[in-house]
Structures are given as structure tokens and as C-alpha cells.
Amino acid sequence: MRKWVIACLIGLLALGFVACRVSETPQSARPNILFAIADDWSWPHAGAYGDLVVKTPTFDRVAREGVLFNHAYVASPSCTPSRAAILTGQWHWRLEESANLWSTLRSEFPVYPDLLEESGYFVGYTRKGWAPGKFEVGGRTRNPAGTAFEDFEDFLAQKPEGQPFCFWFGSTDPHRGYEEGSGLADGIPADSIEPNASFPDSAEVRSDVADYYWEVQRFDREVGSILEQIQAIGELESTLVVITGDNGMPFPRCKANLYDGGVRVPLVMRWPEKVVGGRVLDDFVSLTDLAPTFLEVAGLAPPAVMTGRSLVNTLLSDKEGRVDEARDFVLFGKERHVPVQETPDGGGTPMRGIRTYEYLYIKNFRPDRWPAGTPNHQEAHFPGSWYGDVDNGPTKFYMVEHREKDEQHAELFRLAFDKRPGEELYDLRSDPGQLKNVAADPAYSQVKSELEQRLMEHLSATRDPRLLGEADRLEQYPYYGGSPLKPGFKKD
Ligand SMILES: [Ca+2]
């Protein structure tokens, strides 16, 4: 058997591919897995990406000693479906209720923490795991992220000696609400912030972004403390550390949207025993690729239902830039975030997107609906709900209040809150901020139809209910949460 293992390790080094079955993988070769996930954190808000304002020394260190991904994207810009996609390694549109926010995740969908536990890992999470929703409704007896622990210290104290671990650290930073003014009060230089291209530039918006940065910094400090604890038990070199976020920042035209502000997230991985550090990769990565990656490093074959692709070949390569030529695009989509449409059952704003280096193409399946939620529709599922797909906060309030200030404010308000056509196309070479929809421009008709065809082929291959004419049920599944209410609205 030793011979087989050596041959396997040589193969691993030579081919950059792990083919070992778990029964043949020595326990000592299996890394711990630390998965640290922020809540509502957009690319490129980390020092390693060149952001000069936000301070993220932990993330930057992991990038220096590991691999920094420039093009990492969530499956869906909404907590529940994004986390479900990460845990199952599948597109959220394959997960029934879990395509939606505040739902459930049926026990029939395998999740990597369970599979790792069955193969001998000690598995746990703290704070925000798969959420928000009711996992019991789906036939589960614990959170899909694992067994709940008070914190990482508690988890380590209960971990049996010699057992590899898989831990999910789910911070609720930088999700709203913020302590207003906390960023400025802590000395974050708001004047130096480079606001997202879709925000108007104002003191209110800058202060709001500074508050978001303040929470990003707190998340980074907490991950740093966990790394110190792993270092203290002498296992940091044999731990695969992954730091990322579940969707983009909770601001207009970001979270709950398929633009970069909603779906593109920071991602770093560090595993000194096997992975050459100090590399920056441009390959497109979906966070659905993480579950098959975690299984493969543990010597397990990912279940066939997983649509994600393991990153192990990329991680074990010593190259930079583009490593896997097949990783030249990514998909994402949205079903129901908050049910605030002009329909009795709430409904959502279903959309799918495909992103390449040069273009972003979005298909809006219901252009008759409000992508940011209705302005205020008393007959809606939640009376008083107010642009319910956008979290309430100073930037939202500012944009709504100042929408008629000048042409620029009016345009940015329209882009964030108005209805959108059935197709959107952005030329990222000239419009990295994704503000100018060129879908109707004849000069782009060929590019548009090629992207649409490519998107539809992949959705069809992954049995997306939207393409199979079976999407009604996705909209009819129960919603267990609330919605942002118009300021001043009083419930009866
Ligand atoms: Ca989130």
C-alpha cells in the first residue's frame, strides 16, 4: 500500500491532480480546512487587491503566502442561495427552495461538511452557517455547515486528538446594520475612498462605505485570531485556509444584482504544504468549485451531482495568471431575494448572467418586475416594503432622496432602482463600472447572441428550471423572512 501512496503522491506532483481514494489516503496527508466567509463583502475591497483605504492584513498575508484569485464569483448575490451553492457544490437553481433567500436546504442535497465528517473529519461552524432559513423544514437535524460551536476555541477544545478538522467561520460582517459614523470615528479616510461607479459621490455615501470598511476590518482581525490559534497548535502549514464572502456589499446595484458589485468577491487560499504561494490567478472561479475542491484535497471523489469543478489542479500548479484555459467564463443567477413584487405571492426577479473577461451578459426573465423591489406597493406580499431587494442604509436613502438633484443622480437612481430590459450587455473594456447597457446596439448583436447561446447551453445542461418551463414552483416556495420597510411605515 505504501508503494501505491508514493506513486499517488508522485502522480499528484507530476500531474497536479489528486486521484487517491480516501481508503488509500494516509490520515496525516489530509489537510485541515478553515473556511472563513464574510457576509456581503465585494471585490476588490482588500489591501491585496490594491485598495489603499481598507486595512486587511490577514487577507493580505494569506494572499502573499498563498494564491490570490482575481476572478471569483458567487453563484447568487443573496445569502441563502449563495451559501447553499457553496455547501452543495451546485448551482442554486438546482436546489429547489434554496434558490431563494430565507428558505430551506433539503437533506437530499449532499453537502461537503457531511461528506467530510463521514470520512473522518471533525466538522463544525460558528455564527452564520447556511442562512438565513429553516434547515429543519428540509429534513435536516443540524445546520448544513456542520455542528454549531460557540467559537473556534470551543471547537478546537472539543476536537479529538489526531483528527483533521473542517471549520466554517461565518462572520456577519460587513452585513448591515452599521453603527453610523463608525468608520469616520475610527479614522478611516473617507476622502480617499474610491466609491463604486454606480454610487453618486457624496459625504453620506463615503461615510456609509467607511462604515462598511470598518466591518470588513473587524472580519479580517477575527480571521487573524483564528490563524493564530491554528499556529499555536502547530497545524497552520497543514491547513487549507480559504477566505472569501457570500455576496457583494449591501448597497444599491450591488448585493442582489448580477453586476460585479453583487457577484464578484475576494478569494484567497493558502496551504503551504502543497501550494506554491505568492501567486495571483486570473482564472474564473465560481464558489461552487469549493466543495469539490475540499473533497478532493481530503481524498474524496466529488458526487456526480456537483456542478462545481475542483480547483486542485489550479492550486497545485506553480503558474500565475491564467492556468486552466477552460476557466474563461463564469455563470451566476438570481431567483427570489425578497418577495416584493406586484404579485399576490411576492415573486422574485429571476435573472441569469455570464461573465467573461470582456463582457457581462444578463438575461432578465421577468423584465415586467422591479429588480430592486417595488417602490411601495400596498398590495404586495409585505405592505410597506420599500425597494425591498436593497438593504436600508444611508446610500439607499441618499439616492432615493436626491434622485432629482441633477442628471447624474437621476441616471444612477434609475440604474439602481428602475425596471430593466430583458437583456443587458456591458462592454467591460470601455465600461468596467457596468453602467452602459449596449444590448440594443447593433454593433454588439453578434457578441450578444453568442453570449446568450453560451449561457443557455450551460443552463440547459445543468437543468435550470427556468429553461425547462418549471420555474413556477421556485416562486411558490415559502419565504420565512422580512423585508426593508419604508422609513416611517407603521405596521397595524
Ligand atoms: Ca450575505
Side-chain angles (χ1 to χ4, degrees):
M1 179 178 139
R2 181 175 291 171
K3 226 178 212 175
W4 193 91
V5 170
I6 291 168
C8 180
L9 286 173
I10 290 169
L12 182 154
L13 290 169
L15 302 172
F17 185 80
V18 178
C20 314
R21 282 173 292 129
V22 64
S23 57
E24 306 286 357
T25 306
Q27 200 79 333
S28 59
R30 309 172 78 193
N32 300 315
I33 298 167
L34 172 71
F35 181 61
I37 180 166
D39 194 358
D40 297 4
W41 184 25
S42 286
W43 178 93
H45 300 145
Y49 289 117
D51 188 314
L52 300 174
V53 176
V54 71
K55 300 299 176 205
T56 53
T58 308
F59 186 90
D60 302 348
R61 174 199 170 183
V62 173
R64 264 196 323 276
E65 299 171 356
V67 179
L68 177 72
F69 291 86
N70 267 336
H71 281 284
Y73 298 79
V74 298
S76 189
S78 173
C79 303
T80 318
S82 173
R83 287 159 189 261
I86 290 169
L87 285 157
T88 60
Q90 297 194 49
W91 298 116
H92 57 294
W93 53 76
R94 292 163 58 84
L95 303 174
E96 299 300 331
E97 290 91 336
S98 232
N100 298 329
L101 183 70
W102 272 104
S103 57
T104 193
L105 180 58
R106 296 183 187 179
S107 57
E108 72 201 50
F109 298 118
V111 291
Y112 77 78
D114 289 353
L115 298 170
L116 289 175
E117 185 175 64
E118 284 163 18
S119 82
Y121 270 74
F122 189 65
V123 167
Y125 84 101
T126 196
R127 299 197 218 163
K128 188 166 179 175
W130 170 86
K134 294 184 176 179
F135 60 79
E136 301 89 344
V137 180
R140 294 180 182 273
T141 53
R142 72 173 187 193
N143 193 292
T147 302
F149 287 85
E150 189 65 31
D151 51 29
F152 186 66
E153 197 177 348
D154 176 33
F155 173 77
L156 270 193
Q158 296 193 44
K159 186 185 87 66
E161 189 78 19
Q163 209 176 343
F165 71 75
C166 172
F167 188 74
W168 169 299
F169 171 63
S171 169
T172 54
D173 288 335
H175 197 288
R176 292 183 188 274
Y178 304 147
E179 192 186 323
E180 220 170 302
S182 54
L184 292 184
D186 200 37
I188 292 178
D191 289 347
S192 304
I193 288 172
E194 202 169 309
N196 186 301
S198 66
F199 306 159
D201 193 356
S202 79
E204 292 90 335
V205 171
R206 285 176 176 274
S207 174
D208 198 18
V209 176
D211 293 348
Y212 155 82
Y213 275 10
W214 189 90
E215 292 211 352
V216 171
Q217 295 181 170
R218 180 165 61 182
F219 166 71
D220 190 81
R221 281 197 302 276
E222 290 197 301
V223 179
S225 148
I226 292 174
L227 296 191
E228 280 170 20
Q229 293 174 64
I230 302 175
Q231 175 88 57
I233 59 166
E235 294 186 14
L236 194 54
E237 305 308 286
S238 55
T239 299
L240 169 61
V241 173
V242 177
I243 309 175
T244 189
D246 70 338
N247 56 255
M249 64 199 298
F251 284 66
R253 209 172 157 93
C254 293
K255 179 179 176 180
N257 286 275
L258 302 189
Y259 312 115
D260 277 7
V263 291
R264 192 174 184 182
V265 288
L267 175 67
V268 281
M269 297 192 193
R270 177 191 188 273
W271 182 20
E273 275 189 354
K274 296 279 171 65
V275 172
V276 177
R279 291 183 295 138
V280 180
L281 295 188
D282 292 323
D283 288 17
F284 276 90
V285 171
S286 161
L287 296 197
T288 57
D289 299 335
L290 295 177
T293 304
F294 296 164
L295 294 174
E296 195 175 340
V297 299
L300 295 172
V305 289
M306 289 192 175
T307 47
R309 285 183 53 216
S310 168
L311 285 160
V312 168
N313 65 331
T314 309
L315 283 173
L316 296 187
S317 156
D318 59 1
K319 292 184 187 153
E320 289 199 72
R322 291 182 64 180
V323 174
D324 182 343
E325 290 298 318
R327 291 186 172 278
D328 61 349
F329 73 100
V330 75
L331 308 182
F332 27 69
K334 177 189 175 189
E335 278 296 322
R336 188 178 67 210
H337 188 58
V338 174
V340 285
Q341 300 303 317
E342 293 163 322
T343 57
D345 60 357
T349 42
M351 49 183 87
R352 303 285 184 271
I354 180 168
R355 170 78 153 81
T356 64
Y357 294 105
E358 296 174 326
Y359 297 102
L360 167 66
Y361 172 81
I362 297 170
K363 181 92 168 173
N364 291 308
F365 288 95
R366 294 295 305 264
D368 56 314
R369 293 181 175 173
W370 295 84
T374 54
N376 186 9
H377 198 275
Q378 295 302 319
E379 300 308 314
H381 194 60
F382 289 93
S385 63
W386 184 62
Y387 298 120
D389 269 7
V390 186
D391 297 60
N392 279 347
T395 300
K396 175 180 176 179
F397 298 155
Y398 176 87
M399 288 181 73
V400 173
E401 197 179 320
H402 294 85
R403 63 181 141 181
E404 288 170 3
K405 186 181 175 190
D406 55 32
E407 188 44 46
Q408 195 215 16
H409 281 71
E411 173 69 357
L412 294 176
F413 172 82
R414 189 185 64 74
L415 286 170
F417 295 96
D418 263 4
K419 290 181 180 175
R420 295 168 192 161
E423 290 183 295
E424 296 173 68
L425 178 67
Y426 300 92
D427 184 342
L428 309 178
R429 298 166 302 183
S430 58
D431 178 26
Q434 305 164 352
L435 300 177
K436 188 170 181 261
N437 180 10
V438 295
D441 183 338
Y444 289 95
S445 62
Q446 194 182 339
V447 166
K448 190 181 73 172
S449 64
E450 282 169 9
L451 287 167
E452 184 194 14
Q453 191 184 347
R454 205 168 168 191
L455 173 63
M456 295 307 152
E457 279 171 8
H458 284 284
L459 297 180
S460 176
T462 55
R463 299 196 58 73
D464 184 342
R466 281 282 157 207
L467 265 71
L468 302 175
E470 299 169 3
D472 284 355
R473 68 176 186 273
L474 297 185
E475 306 210 356
Q476 287 157 7
Y477 286 132
Y479 174 79
Y480 302 117
S483 164
L485 300 180
K486 190 166 188 172
F489 179 83
K490 299 267 189 294
K491 283 183 176 173
D492 293 336

